[in-house]
Amino acid sequence: MLKCPLFFLLLCIMKQLRPLFAAAAALLLASCGAPAAALADFDRTVYAPACASGFEILGSHDSGSVLLRVVDPWQGASGFEQRVLLLRDGESAPAGFSGTVVRTPVRRTVCMSSSHTAMMCAVGAADAVAAVSGAQYISDTLIASRCRRGAVADVGVDTAPDFEVLAGVRPDVVLMYGVGDGNDRLVSKLSELGIPHIYIGDYVEQSPLGKAEWLRVAGELTGRTAEADSLFGGIRSRYEALRDSVAAARADAVRPRVMLNTPYRGTWFLPPEGSYMVRLVRDAGGEPFCAQGDVNASQAVDIEQAYLLASQADVWLNTGFCTSLDELRAMNPRFAGIAPVRAGRVYNNNARSTEAGGSDFWESGVVRPDVVLRDLITIMCGDGEELYYYRQLR
């Protein structure tokens, strides 16, 4: 019996397509993802921060995925730990893993703090910013422009966002600003929506370089670790060179005394020893008035005591929303007699602000402590450099 020529044609076609079917099947299996290494196998240090204290990145010899450990990411946290498995190469989470799982590189993130936005932009991943909290406070011109065009959504207040907007963004991850119990509702809702979150604890780091080192987490999330390492390496090198040059040049010089902040509701808060601003001022060659005793939080002092300290200061920094000496005098007429006011040595860190009051000092300044330090050295030493984050009140 003669076989139909069409039969032979189909047989030939099937033989030709067999390799394609095999490849498709392999691709399908890969998309399901082989399990990552067992959790206990993530015992190899991938990145141990040199300056930050709030995170570390661990890896396994048998997996391309990494484990991010975040510890105590908000003020007052004690013993809190978040484990985040950052999956790569189509791997899936090992059985029994109860932490957060994020597939990388992420393409769509929600940044609940402007400093998180700055980190993403700094490592070259601005396109991965899909939404922010408080668009009117964003200083970065690219992200601000995208917010105005609607290309980047505004999810609203960080502890009580618009969940409809947030879910509509379809984020790969939400970068959280930790406020302890204030995050409970947000965390619960994100879990309900199946949206992973990561606490980014830069704001509790007391080391200026420690804050900036959270860039490495942004690099890990976006597949830009080399860029993050190179960027932070340059920032650290420049910061330490500036700090060391000041220390050498002013080894025997009298350090200018520095008053920080302004009163809030009748109380003046002095920062503790070892805090972010105290470290910056000292690295710049100044000697700040700070809280007395072994404390790790700002200390409230009454106006009279603070006025006496300010009267002894050579420089006054961080004067709230004031943009002129007249505004400062209007706050309290007695300020007119303080030595830094009379000498015109009052500086505020609001030179780069949005119309709504967003401060780039707390945005890009977090990831550029070398530039902040250069500003402060100019203020302390009067070397003539143009200020970037600071302005002199006149």
Side-chain angles (χ1 to χ4, degrees), residues 135-286:
Q136 70 271 33
Y137 301 115
I138 298 296
S139 296
D140 184 88
T141 54
L142 174 60
I143 301 299
S145 173
R146 290 178 178 175
C147 288
R148 289 191 294 270
R149 299 198 315 267
V152 171
D154 186 348
V155 298
V157 182
D158 52 1
T159 54
D162 186 323
F163 289 109
E164 185 175 350
V165 172
L166 195 155
V169 169
R170 297 176 289 105
D172 299 315
V173 66
V174 174
L175 304 184
M176 295 268 286
Y177 177 90
V179 291
D181 294 343
N183 285 130
D184 288 352
R185 177 172 176 265
L186 176 54
V187 170
S188 177
K189 188 64 177 179
L190 289 176
S191 178
E192 178 185 323
L193 294 170
I195 301 172
H197 70 278
I198 300 175
Y199 283 104
I200 304 296
D202 60 291
Y203 88 100
V204 295
E205 298 281 355
Q206 298 304 309
S207 161
L209 287 172
K211 287 182 183 292
E213 197 165 12
W214 281 82
L215 282 165
R216 188 53 165 74
V217 176
E220 199 75 50
L221 285 169
T222 57
R224 304 180 72 85
T225 55
E227 291 86 344
D229 285 341
S230 175
L231 179 62
F232 179 69
I235 290 167
R236 183 183 180 188
S237 178
R238 289 188 294 274
Y239 185 99
E240 292 178 344
L242 286 167
R243 179 197 63 197
D244 294 346
S245 67
V246 168
R250 301 179 64 84
D252 300 320
V254 176
R255 288 172 169 258
R257 295 162 297 183
V258 180
M259 190 64 180
L260 292 161
N261 307 330
T262 50
Y264 177 73
R265 295 182 178 177
T267 303
W268 208 311
F269 290 89
L270 296 179
E273 287 275 359
S275 62
Y276 174 68
M277 277 307 306
V278 168
R279 292 190 187 196
L280 277 167
V281 169
R282 285 193 174 140
D283 286 348

Side-chain angles (χ1 to χ4, degrees), residues 11 87 125 240 289 291:
L11 185 62
L87 294 177
E240 292 178 344
F289 293 113

Side-chain angles (χ1 to χ4, degrees), residues 57-69:
I57 301 171
L58 304 172
S60 163
H61 293 285
D62 302 318
S63 173
S65 302
V66 297
L67 183 70
L68 168 67
R69 288 184 63 250

Side-chain angles (χ1 to χ4, degrees), residues 30 33 63-65 87-91 104:
S63 173
S65 302
L87 294 177
R88 295 175 178 160
D89 305 326
E91 294 182 336
T104 63

Side-chain angles (χ1 to χ4, degrees), residues 81-167:
E81 177 182 338
Q82 183 187 24
R83 295 185 302 176
V84 185
L85 191 58
L86 304 180
L87 294 177
R88 295 175 178 160
D89 305 326
E91 294 182 336
S92 60
F97 180 70
S98 59
T100 302
V101 177
V102 177
R103 296 191 176 278
T104 63
V106 296
R107 304 300 183 193
R108 300 180 65 77
T109 63
V110 176
C111 298
M112 302 305 286
S113 169
S114 61
S115 65
H116 307 162
T117 303
M119 291 174 194
M120 298 293 284
C121 293
V123 299
D127 287 345
V129 178
V132 298
S133 171
Q136 70 271 33
Y137 301 115
I138 298 296
S139 296
D140 184 88
T141 54
L142 174 60
I143 301 299
S145 173
R146 290 178 178 175
C147 288
R148 289 191 294 270
R149 299 198 315 267
V152 171
D154 186 348
V155 298
V157 182
D158 52 1
T159 54
D162 186 323
F163 289 109
E164 185 175 350
V165 172
L166 195 155

